[in-house]
Amino acid sequence: MKNTSLTQRPTTPTEPNWQPLNDFAEQKQNDSGLKAWLAVVEGCIRAIEKTAWQGREIADQTVKTWKAMGRGANAVNEEMQILADEMRRWPARLKRLSKTGWMLTKVVASYRLWGTRSAFLPSNMRESALESLHQRNARRFRDTSLEQGGAFLKIGQLLSSRPDLLPQAWVDELAILQDQANPVPFEGIARVLEQEFGQPLDTLFAHVDPEPLAAASIGQVHRARLHDGRDVAVKVQRPGLEEVVELDMTLLKIFMGAVKSALPPMDIDTIVSEIQRTVREELDYEREARVMTQIGEQLAGIPGITTPALVAEHSSRHVLTTEFVHGRKLTTVLDELHHTDPERLGGVLHRLLDAWFSQVLHGGLFHADPHPGNIMLTDDDTLVLLDFGCAQRLSDTARRGYFRVLQACVVDDKQVIADTLATMGFTTRSGNPDTLLAFVSAVLDQVRNAIIYPDPDKGWPSPEEMMQQVSHLLGRLQQDPVDTLPGDFIMLARVFGTLGGFFLHYQPKVDIAALVLGYLTRPLDNQQAA
């Protein structure tokens, strides 16, 4: 900034000194927070423009319909139907886009402007003011996600499961998104069931409870009874969801592109692509049925963890029926055990971590969305995994690579870690592995320390220690960004970030050394990927 001292630039009473104001304007123009806010606004405007241009499709389709009159009544009828469908969809697209885009703009802009606002607040008021800002933004995100559903509800579910990294106000406000959303009226659910199987509802089921057990972003679950007396859970996809999700994916890509400069340097394109891929895969319930069955077979050797049995004859691309499992949400039980039975708490979380090590290292196919709404605990402490729409398959090469990184981390062989990550497709902008090593250190140092310095009474890192480690990692990312990541790693980071959140929040006594060494000393290829 230029020196604005009056001793260096004398002025007279008749000559106003505009330099301080000019300097202030120049500073604000260069301020990264303001630039980021402007980028958000610009991105949302571009998104709205993109949708508005889709209105051109209506005009084009009108012209086609007019021309079709010369080809006869059938051609006109066909083109008119296409035109009617397009006109029906377009206003909903614009309404959805404007509401979601404006919510994101307000959230990001408020945080970008917080630095300026906080400078004018007394120090004793800043903490409460920031807490209010967190709560206000979390409610904005929650309310819009509940109203709009679709892909942004999935993002909210992911955020709600990170109490170790997010402000508590966000975790509290978004917790409802884990297994609650605005339900579809039962008439719409009944219509989907009858269309999928071509039979009346009372022929398909002896009874279906019209009140949903849970309503989520992709579908909602109803309890039902088959004619043979079995109780089942029926997950039905929300009608018309494909169109809603595709619009959300377009908005997400444009929005992330607009705010990319305001985020820590990382492979945003791969992250967005993986989110798009996994959300689209969740629309295919036939795929989910196959994944659920295969992961259930992989976990058969681990006592106390299971998946629901598939009812294939009542399942399709948009309907998934399984046996009904009696149990309670995982975090509800963990909250109770945290105060009453820490030993049992440690046993449950040990089993949970064991299950995902088994899926990743020896199964090659893993459940990639272990938020609390997707895990139940029965009265006999059996963990039941639910909702397999988001899953990731690892190639044998990738599985061996992650296994080798874990081995090398335990013995602190940085060269092997760097070489293995490079072979797997991790690259930094400079080619230097230091940023990658810092990331591995942030993820696996706790595991290595538990093995080398076993101390059952040593607690997990505090939130303050974790934030120091995150700050160090972000500093590394700023100095030398990670330009490319393998797609499967995005899902792995999501899984172990969520599981790590459980351990950091509840601070259980778990013998990590025994668990990890059990996998490191077991031949990796005894069980191949399904």
Side-chain angles (χ1 to χ4, degrees):
M1 180 182 293
K2 298 176 183 177
N3 194 321
T4 62
S5 170
L6 293 179
T7 60
Q8 293 190 1
R9 184 173 180 181
T11 62
T12 66
T14 59
E15 181 187 356
N17 181 12
W18 298 109
Q19 192 58 38
L21 182 60
N22 292 337
D23 287 344
F24 179 80
E26 181 179 343
Q27 177 187 359
K28 286 301 170 187
Q29 180 64 30
N30 293 327
D31 182 74
S32 60
L34 182 61
K35 282 186 174 181
W37 176 67
L38 292 174
V40 173
V41 175
E42 179 189 359
C44 289
I45 290 173
R46 285 168 53 204
I48 292 171
E49 286 175 344
K50 184 178 180 69
T51 302
W53 272 97
Q54 291 179 359
R56 292 287 298 274
E57 297 175 16
I58 297 177
D60 293 342
Q61 186 59 44
T62 303
V63 172
K64 288 182 180 179
T65 304
W66 181 260
K67 291 179 178 179
M69 290 183 180
R71 302 200 306 271
N74 288 339
V76 172
N77 184 64
E78 180 181 336
E79 296 295 342
M80 284 292 289
Q81 184 60 51
I82 296 173
L83 175 61
D85 290 344
E86 185 61 35
M87 292 184 72
R88 174 185 56 80
R89 289 193 298 264
W90 190 78
R93 289 174 182 168
L94 185 57
K95 179 181 178 182
R96 182 179 184 82
L97 180 57
S98 61
K99 283 191 175 182
T100 307
W102 184 233
M103 177 274 293
L104 291 172
T105 299
K106 288 190 287 187
V107 168
V108 176
S110 66
Y111 280 127
R112 294 303 174 194
L113 296 174
W114 165 252
T116 302
R117 182 190 167 204
S118 63
F120 295 94
L121 291 174
S123 58
N124 62 339
M125 293 179 60
R126 286 176 192 160
E127 185 175 348
S128 61
L130 181 58
E131 181 67 19
S132 297
L133 178 63
H134 287 323
Q135 190 172 58
R136 187 162 60 251
N137 281 335
R139 285 178 178 171
R140 284 170 172 163
F141 197 104
R142 180 202 66 189
D143 292 346
T144 303
S145 298
L146 285 171
E147 179 184 358
Q148 301 293 329
F152 278 94
L153 192 54
K154 295 298 299 180
I155 297 171
Q157 290 173 350
L158 174 61
L159 294 176
S160 71
S161 61
R162 295 308 307 269
D164 56 314
L165 298 180
L166 283 178
Q168 191 61 41
W170 274 84
V171 175
D172 293 342
E173 294 292 342
L174 298 185
I176 193 174
L177 302 182
Q178 292 172 6
D179 52 13
Q180 291 295 319
N182 291 330
V184 176
F186 185 67
E187 293 76 13
I189 295 298
R191 188 160 51 249
V192 172
L193 289 168
E194 293 180 341
Q195 289 173 349
E196 284 294 299
F197 301 104
Q199 299 180 54
L201 192 62
D202 56 5
T203 302
L204 293 168
F205 300 96
H207 173 71
V208 181
D209 189 343
E211 291 297 318
L213 292 170
S217 54
I218 303 298
Q220 64 188 48
V221 181
H222 290 258
R223 184 171 182 174
R225 180 172 293 114
L226 300 178
H227 288 288
D228 62 10
R230 284 180 292 168
D231 286 334
V232 295
V234 185
K235 184 163 74 168
V236 183
Q237 191 173 120
R238 291 172 175 265
L241 195 61
E242 287 92 340
E243 183 179 324
V244 168
V245 166
E246 286 307 311
L247 181 59
D248 284 353
M249 292 297 96
T250 300
L251 176 58
L252 175 65
K253 189 169 185 178
I254 294 172
F255 181 80
M256 292 299 289
V259 301
K260 186 187 261 188
S261 62
L263 298 173
M266 62 187 76
D267 190 357
I268 294 294
D269 291 339
T270 298
I271 293 172
V272 172
S273 295
E274 281 302 300
I275 292 174
Q276 291 176 328
R277 180 187 63 80
T278 54
V279 171
R280 286 171 181 140
E281 284 181 348
E282 287 196 53
L283 300 178
D284 184 357
Y285 284 2
E286 291 175 335
R287 175 187 177 275
E288 181 176 349
R290 294 192 299 271
V291 169
M292 180 179 67
T293 301
Q294 291 173 9
I295 290 180
E297 293 170 353
Q298 289 177 186
L299 296 175
I302 300 178
I305 188 159
T306 187
T307 62
L310 174 69
V311 182
E313 63 273 19
H314 285 76
S315 299
S316 68
R317 181 175 174 82
H318 299 111
V319 177
L320 179 63
T321 303
T322 65
E323 67 172 332
F324 187 85
V325 178
H326 295 271
R328 292 194 293 163
K329 184 177 173 181
L330 175 65
T331 47
T332 300
V333 181
L334 293 181
D335 287 343
E336 295 174 0
L337 298 181
H338 187 50
H339 301 289
T340 62
D341 196 341
E343 183 176 351
R344 186 176 159 205
L345 171 77
V348 171
L349 287 175
H350 181 283
R351 228 175 316 128
L352 192 69
L353 190 58
D354 192 8
W356 261 273
F357 267 105
S358 177
Q359 291 173 70
V360 171
L361 295 178
H362 287 283
L365 176 66
F366 62 91
H367 188 305
D369 191 16
H371 72 75
N374 285 342
I375 306 171
M376 292 178 60
L377 199 66
T378 64
D379 291 341
D380 64 354
D381 274 3
T382 297
L383 286 163
V384 184
L385 306 189
L386 307 172
D387 197 350
F388 293 81
C390 185
Q392 178 72 48
R393 189 181 298 277
L394 296 174
S395 67
D396 281 349
T397 300
R399 196 164 51 89
R400 293 190 186 98
Y402 291 122
F403 184 81
R404 187 157 178 74
V405 167
L406 181 59
Q407 286 179 315
C409 181
V410 170
V411 297
D412 200 23
D413 192 332
K414 292 182 172 58
Q415 188 61 51
V416 170
I417 295 173
D419 292 345
T420 304
L421 292 177
T423 301
M424 295 173 69
F426 293 82
T427 64
T428 62
R429 187 161 299 173
S430 70
N432 187 303
D434 286 351
T435 301
L436 298 177
L437 293 173
F439 190 86
V440 171
S441 175
V443 174
L444 294 178
D445 267 4
Q446 187 70 28
V447 174
R448 180 170 61 86
N449 292 340
I451 293 173
I452 298 175
Y453 310 108
D455 182 358
D457 296 322
K458 181 175 173 57
W460 294 84
S462 67
E464 292 76 16
E465 291 171 327
M466 283 300 300
M467 289 309 300
Q468 288 178 0
Q469 197 167 36
V470 169
S471 297
H472 172 70
L473 178 58
L474 291 177
R476 277 286 180 191
L477 285 169
Q478 291 286 352
Q479 295 172 20
D480 188 16
V482 178
D483 277 346
T484 58
L485 295 166
D488 55 42
F489 178 75
I490 307 300
M491 294 296 106
L492 272 177
R494 175 184 185 179
V495 165
F496 285 101
T498 301
L499 296 180
F502 289 143
F503 281 80
L504 292 171
H505 182 69
Y506 293 105
Q507 303 275 312
K509 288 187 177 181
V510 174
D511 193 346
I512 296 292
L515 176 62
V516 175
L517 288 174
Y519 280 96
L520 292 180
T521 56
R522 188 188 315 170
L524 182 63
D525 291 324
N526 274 0
Q527 302 177 48
Q528 293 296 323

